[in-house]
Amino acid sequence: MKGKSTNRAGKISIGKILTYIFAFFWAFMTIFPVVITFLSSFKNNVEINTGMFSLPKVWRFSNYIDAWKLAHIGRAVGNSLFLSFATTVLVTVIGISASYILARKNFSVVKKIYTLFLVGVMVPIHCTIIPVSALAGNIQAKNEYWFLVLVYTAFNLAQAIFLYTGFIQGIDKEMDEAAFMDGCGEIHLLYKIIFPLCKPIIFTEAIFVFTFCYGELVYSLTLLSEESKYTMARAVLSFTGNHTVEYGPIFASIIVAVFPMLLLYILFHEKIQAGMMAGAVKG
Amino acid sequence: MPKRKKEITISVLLLLPAVIIFAMLIIYPVCNTVWLSFFKWKGIAGQPKEFVGIANYLKVLTGNSFWNSMLNSLYFMIGGFGILMPLSFGLALIVTSNVRCRRFLKTSYFMPVILSTTAVALIWVYILNPSFGALNQFLDIVGLSNGKKDWLSTPTLNVWCVVLVNEWMYAGYNMLIFVAGLIAIPDSIFDAAKIDGCGFWYRVRYIILPLSKGSFKIFAVLCITGCLKVFDLIWAMTKGGPNNVSSTPAIMLYTEAFTYKNFGKSSTIGVILLMTGIVLSLGVNRCLRYKED
């Protein structure tokens, strides 16, 4: 209810009109490019050339079939979803386990390891491509998803540990002691008590990890060369780079590529926004 | 002390996976990059690496292309502070005010972040396409055909196109940073201001801006470190071309390594990028802390 221009009972001020115009203008600006892409995905070249803004005269679903067959966009989206899912699970499990120790134990090594992870947050992903791709070459891990998942995990681990450790430190230690009194082991405590309590922060980090992995480009460029293993970003890029004669299928492939994330967003937009907000402020 | 021994065992077991992954894929590669930056290496396994001292650093720092790519990063920073910051702050003010359809507005503002960079880049590549792109068609419709351009092939103009796409994509995300700050301001302050008859601008100037300092600090750190790392958008929109005019340090690092096979030189760029990032983010943190005192 804040930051709004004070105008006396129902009187419409110019400021208010301008605010509305700008508010809806920007909403239009964010949605319209996606709408244009969607409309173009049903057109043929002639229609695209003559008018990107008009509705397609015939809804050519065949463009989607072409995108599916020529760009293998369905497979690529599946690959990306799999990678994102695997990475998210791995980051969560490994991250929470480590954070529990980092937050609760007082060994001197523990503090040093925590500092190391904090410094790791600052490493840009590109600084490590050469050694990592050389490593992948040496252990025959190019085109292997398990390696890509490990690389993605490594890059998200530092931030995850930073967020989780902060969160677990905020959980009352008496909880642990009560659990130990009841004869609860540490593993049990971690997975039955700490883990459920951390749900909000896990969700926040999971959104970051999932969106990062779904669109990741640099490592899928360097580590993947087999076409059947291409991720979404890789497949769409190589399809558009092919100078295909028909543009319709290209637009269709873009729409298929954004569809899963758009669907997730439409279903969970409140939670995603809240989670991103929490993460952005802490990170 | 069997209990303590057990505690240590469990600690090691739980920490180990994270430490191994981190050591193998972050710490070792960073150290290796630093080491490689002093060598000349064509990336062929087994071929000897030739030690060249700081020659790579001299070559990179005296070359035009590196400074050009840094200049492009600077454009991203200028765009970030000059366009993205006011835009996201304005959007944050809108969605926290009592305009109608707040939720619809907020949801649509934030949507682009979710789409992933490559898809966003390609959506805009076709909007900016010189022969059939929506932007040029729009200029035709409103009678500004003279303004038609080959947006992504004209030097410098294309960098700014990517900068604007970057702002388009992240405006909603940064809006959330400011929203988090705005909703933390207690209502009582606004009520008091209302009683005193404060207008909208007074409230922004004397209440909202001073109390949003924390949000601006977060924005500054994210923006500065983010600008050095731009890769995906440029790669998908211009590939750094034509003739590297639109490349950023990250693009240059990639092409030096995987197009020209200069792995030593590429590592040098990596080290410079890492150092600049750390220095800048520590610097920004320190500057803003002094201001707060």
Side-chain angles (χ1 to χ4, degrees):
Chain A
M1 304 296 122
K2 298 160 189 166
K4 171 224 152 191
S5 50
T6 35
N7 36 67
R8 279 155 211 89
K11 215 178 128 190
I12 299 162
S13 67
I14 295 174
K16 199 169 182 183
I17 295 171
L18 288 177
T19 311
Y20 270 96
I21 290 175
F22 180 74
F24 282 93
F25 166 74
W26 192 256
F28 173 79
M29 278 297 289
T30 52
I31 298 171
F32 196 56
V34 183
V35 173
I36 288 183
T37 313
F38 179 72
L39 293 178
S40 303
S41 72
F42 293 101
K43 295 177 181 172
N44 62 15
N45 280 3
V46 179
E47 278 180 275
I48 290 169
N49 268 315
T50 47
M52 272 195 123
F53 301 104
S54 55
L55 288 171
K57 288 186 197 79
V58 194
W59 295 79
R60 289 179 191 76
F61 289 96
S62 61
N63 284 345
Y64 281 84
I65 296 169
D66 285 347
W68 205 270
K69 280 188 184 153
L70 300 172
H72 302 288
I73 189 68
R75 185 177 65 197
V77 166
N79 289 345
S80 275
L81 286 175
F82 168 76
L83 282 171
S84 315
F85 188 73
T87 310
T88 310
V89 171
L90 205 61
V91 168
T92 310
V93 173
I94 293 180
I96 280 284
S97 309
S99 302
Y100 166 70
I101 301 296
L102 294 173
R104 285 293 197 250
K105 305 290 170 193
N106 290 318
F107 307 122
S108 60
V109 203
V110 165
K111 293 265 159 354
K112 280 178 197 146
I113 294 178
Y114 185 57
T115 323
L116 205 60
F117 279 118
L118 284 191
V119 176
V121 178
M122 289 202 246
V123 175
I125 188 163
H126 316 99
C127 293
T128 57
I129 344 175
I130 295 171
V132 168
S133 74
L135 181 73
N138 289 337
I139 61 172
Q140 316 281 310
K142 288 210 166 171
N143 290 312
E144 295 290 345
Y145 276 173
W146 62 265
F147 190 76
L148 204 55
V149 168
L150 285 182
V151 172
Y152 289 172
T153 305
F155 272 103
N156 289 291
L157 210 50
Q159 191 191 326
I161 284 178
F162 171 67
L163 290 177
Y164 297 159
T165 308
F167 196 86
I168 296 177
Q169 277 166 346
I171 298 174
D172 202 339
K173 268 196 179 176
E174 278 172 32
M175 190 84 81
D176 302 21
E177 276 147 31
F180 288 138
M181 294 281 255
D182 292 343
C184 185
E186 290 216 54
I187 303 285
H188 197 82
L189 168 77
L190 172 57
Y191 288 103
K192 286 281 155 64
I193 297 171
I194 301 283
F195 197 82
L197 284 174
C198 290
K199 262 186 194 158
I201 198 76
I202 288 176
F203 185 75
T204 294
E205 178 61 17
I207 302 165
F208 274 103
V209 177
F210 201 89
T211 40
F212 163 82
C213 295
Y214 188 73
E216 201 281 337
L217 180 63
V218 186
Y219 271 101
S220 62
L221 275 174
T222 37
L223 295 178
L224 299 176
S225 53
E226 266 173 44
E227 230 189 303
S228 64
K229 297 254 166 108
Y230 275 7
T231 60
M232 175 280 287
R234 209 48 217 285
V236 179
L237 262 187
S238 72
F239 189 47
T240 52
N242 268 347
H243 301 291
T244 337
V245 197
E246 281 288 330
Y247 286 103
I250 289 181
F251 287 107
S253 72
I254 297 174
I255 291 295
V256 176
V258 298
F259 179 73
M261 293 311 277
L262 216 49
L263 185 70
L264 282 179
Y265 183 59
I266 290 168
L267 291 176
F268 304 111
H269 61 97
E270 295 268 313
K271 280 193 119 179
I272 291 177
Q273 286 168 16
M276 280 277 195
M277 190 159 94
V281 176
K282 283 168 192 147
Chain B
M1 295 193 293
K3 203 187 157 211
R4 184 158 170 81
K5 211 172 174 184
K6 200 180 164 199
E7 203 183 346
I8 293 178
T9 322
I10 287 181
S11 304
V12 170
L13 279 179
L14 290 179
L15 265 179
L16 212 55
V19 172
I20 290 177
I21 291 181
F22 199 70
M24 188 176 86
L25 294 167
I26 305 281
I27 298 172
Y28 157 75
V30 168
C31 298
N32 197 7
T33 301
V34 175
W35 187 74
L36 266 178
S37 71
F38 296 105
F39 287 83
K40 191 178 176 185
W41 186 41
K42 285 286 175 191
I44 303 155
Q47 195 209 40
K49 301 172 179 105
E50 185 191 332
F51 181 78
V52 290
I54 58 163
N56 284 329
Y57 286 87
L58 291 177
K59 215 189 277 173
V60 169
L61 291 173
T62 52
N64 280 334
S65 49
F66 176 73
W67 292 108
N68 179 54
S69 73
M70 285 301 258
L71 182 69
N72 288 334
S73 279
L74 187 68
Y75 290 155
F76 273 90
M77 249 176 249
I78 295 171
F81 285 101
I83 303 168
L84 188 57
M85 193 169 77
L87 178 63
S88 347
F89 187 69
L91 296 178
L93 285 180
I94 290 173
V95 297
T96 51
S97 72
N98 60 353
V99 294
R100 280 185 206 171
C101 323
R102 277 195 297 280
R103 278 171 52 185
F104 161 75
L105 291 172
K106 196 173 163 194
T107 305
S108 56
Y109 295 159
F110 185 72
M111 188 261 307
V113 185
I114 284 297
L115 300 180
S116 83
T117 37
T118 316
V120 166
L122 290 172
I123 287 175
W124 282 96
V125 163
Y126 292 105
I127 288 177
L128 299 173
N129 185 294
S131 56
F132 61 79
L135 182 58
N136 278 351
Q137 286 189 10
F138 174 75
L139 291 176
D140 270 339
I141 292 169
V142 295
L144 291 169
S145 301
N146 297 337
K148 278 166 61 175
K149 291 211 165 60
D150 191 351
W151 302 99
L152 291 175
S153 306
T154 316
T156 318
L157 181 68
N158 59 3
V159 182
W160 280 100
C161 286
V162 183
V163 169
L164 288 177
V165 172
N166 189 55
E167 318 320 17
W168 179 80
M169 185 168 176
Y170 290 107
Y173 178 75
N174 291 296
M175 167 191 82
L176 288 186
I177 296 176
F178 291 117
V179 168
L182 287 175
I183 54 179
I185 300 176
D187 273 325
S188 54
I189 298 184
F190 287 101
D191 294 340
K194 209 169 210 172
I195 292 167
D196 289 345
C198 272
F200 173 71
W201 290 112
Y202 277 89
R203 262 179 293 156
V204 171
R205 173 70 188 83
Y206 294 104
I207 301 173
I208 296 175
L209 280 180
L211 289 175
S212 299
K213 250 186 201 164
S215 313
F216 280 102
K217 183 177 156 184
I218 295 169
F219 173 84
V221 175
L222 286 180
C223 176
I224 289 175
T225 49
C227 288
L228 287 171
K229 292 191 260 185
V230 185
F231 179 89
D232 298 21
L233 279 181
I234 292 265
W235 185 262
M237 292 180 75
T238 68
K239 279 213 171 186
N243 281 324
N244 292 328
V245 284
S246 64
S247 97
T248 57
I251 294 276
M252 202 182 152
L253 180 155
Y254 184 86
T255 47
E256 279 295 341
F258 297 98
T259 313
Y260 304 116
K261 305 282 174 204
N262 294 325
F263 284 74
K265 198 174 165 195
S266 164
S267 300
T268 309
I269 301 171
V271 174
I272 297 173
L273 200 59
L274 180 67
M275 291 302 171
T276 324
I278 292 176
V279 168
L280 279 179
S281 54
L282 290 180
V284 172
N285 259 316
R286 175 152 297 182
C287 275
L288 291 168
R289 196 170 303 146
Y290 276 130
K291 260 188 198 162
E292 267 166 40
D293 292 340

